[in-house]
Amino acid sequence: MGRRLPSAPPAPDAMDVPADLAPGQNPHPVSVLRATPEQLRELYATARARDELITVGLDQQPRDRDDQVAVAVFGPRDHVTAATEHLPHEQGPPVPGADGRRRRAEMFPTADDRRFDPPATGDERRMLTDFLRAQRSTLEMKCSGLDTELSRRSVEPSTLSLLGLVRHLADVERRWFRRVLAGHDAPPLFSSATRPDGDFDGAAPDRRVVAEAWEAWRSEVAFADAFTADAPDLNLEGHDEWRGRVSLRWVLIHMIEEYARHNGHADLLRERIDGTIGL
């Protein structure tokens, strides 16, 4: 397999790590997945039948594991993802750098991160919704493991907080999909004409406020996803008081832009709370 890898082959001490990169060992990210014996047999047969994939089956039991075998699949990411996307990732800690520290540009510490694994080819609607889904997931991951700490502000005089971002983006989703494109009477949930910054100003360290924000955000995301899936095409239009006529295509692109900008804020907000970094 080494001769088929895109650049340098794995070093002699190469080892698999859970969905992360092990610097100085294997220079290529290797995702470790769990599977039942039946799933392994099915994966081996399916992958072997595809010319784009290299498949290696191991018939010896790994050390300290009972009744298990392994299947290694290598090839273009979208083809590997299509063959393995139904399998869960092996749980395990993120792998630090050689000096024991994580790097800012590594993936966010999680045992099951497949945000950026969707196919890189396909129709426009699938491509845009996959990118938007990845950005939404990034916001959710940046907030993971936190409760009322989500309300912690960045630095004076800024009122930015992770909780404020969740509230703000719930209103943004609501505006573009429910009000502009679907034509519903759907005023903002957290801001108003008299309190234009209510989404951020009202982000209080209260568990009820936190729960309300997540419930609203998930409800608006679910509506947006259903609306996009049911739309006849991306040329569907609505009217916005700011931009005039806008298409579903434009709204999806704008939402990706909106989340990407605010996820940059979320990077710094999360680091200030507990030092956690990663993309």
Side-chain angles (χ1 to χ4, degrees):
M1 287 178 65
R3 291 192 298 272
R4 302 283 295 276
L5 290 171
S7 55
D13 61 348
M15 61 179 291
D16 291 351
V17 294
D20 211 311
L21 187 65
Q25 297 173 342
N26 186 351
H28 304 283
V30 178
S31 294
V32 179
L33 310 175
R34 297 191 307 273
T36 65
E38 292 76 16
Q39 288 173 323
L40 282 174
R41 286 193 289 270
E42 180 184 357
L43 173 61
Y44 184 74
T46 300
R48 290 271 294 180
R50 299 185 181 183
D51 294 337
E52 306 89 353
L53 300 176
I54 302 170
T55 309
V56 177
L58 303 179
D59 56 9
Q60 293 182 348
Q61 293 181 4
R63 287 176 297 176
D64 302 320
R65 299 286 182 101
D66 295 327
D67 302 319
Q68 293 191 30
V69 294
V71 173
V73 180
F74 172 77
R77 170 177 284 191
D78 54 342
H79 293 284
V80 174
T81 298
T84 63
E85 60 185 355
H86 63 292
L87 300 176
H89 276 65
E90 184 74 45
Q91 297 297 313
V95 177
D99 58 2
R101 295 184 302 171
R102 288 188 55 81
R103 296 292 180 250
R104 186 173 301 279
E106 288 179 9
M107 302 303 287
F108 195 75
T110 176
D112 187 10
D113 186 355
R114 306 193 76 173
R115 286 171 293 162
F116 306 111
D117 281 357
T121 58
D123 67 88
E124 185 180 15
R125 189 188 314 228
R126 171 69 184 273
M127 198 77 69
L128 291 174
T129 54
D130 280 347
F131 267 91
L132 179 53
R133 185 176 300 112
Q135 293 296 328
R136 287 168 171 161
S137 296
T138 297
L139 174 71
E140 203 164 12
M141 289 175 64
K142 285 293 177 178
C143 297
S144 62
L146 302 177
D147 190 1
T148 55
E149 303 96 327
L150 289 170
S151 65
R152 181 172 175 180
R153 303 296 201 262
S154 53
V155 292
E156 297 293 343
S158 175
T159 59
L160 278 177
S161 68
L162 287 171
L163 181 56
L165 291 179
V166 174
R167 289 159 57 94
H168 172 70
L169 287 164
D171 272 350
V172 172
E173 296 266 7
R174 184 176 177 86
R175 169 187 178 173
W176 290 111
F177 290 100
R178 202 182 290 269
R179 189 162 78 242
V180 172
L181 291 175
H184 293 181
D185 180 12
L189 297 172
F190 302 111
S191 59
S192 64
T194 57
R195 295 190 65 205
D197 289 326
D199 41 6
F200 292 102
D201 294 342
D206 184 313
R207 288 184 176 178
R208 290 173 298 180
V209 175
V210 174
E212 178 188 41
W214 281 121
E215 182 180 359
W217 181 77
R218 292 190 174 106
S219 175
E220 296 306 324
V221 167
F223 178 89
D225 283 346
F227 181 89
T228 302
D230 293 342
D233 55 57
L234 297 180
N235 294 319
L236 181 149
E237 293 185 354
H239 182 270
D240 176 62
E241 60 270 20
W242 168 45
R243 291 302 305 263
R245 302 298 295 177
V246 296
S247 67
L248 173 58
R249 178 185 291 102
W250 184 90
V251 168
L252 289 170
I253 294 172
H254 175 63
M255 291 300 297
I256 294 169
E257 170 197 34
E258 181 86 12
Y259 272 92
R261 178 170 185 266
H262 288 311
N263 281 335
H265 297 143
D267 286 338
L268 300 178
L269 288 163
R270 181 60 189 258
E271 184 177 4
R272 185 166 178 81
I273 291 172
D274 63 4
T276 303
I277 58 175
L279 300 180

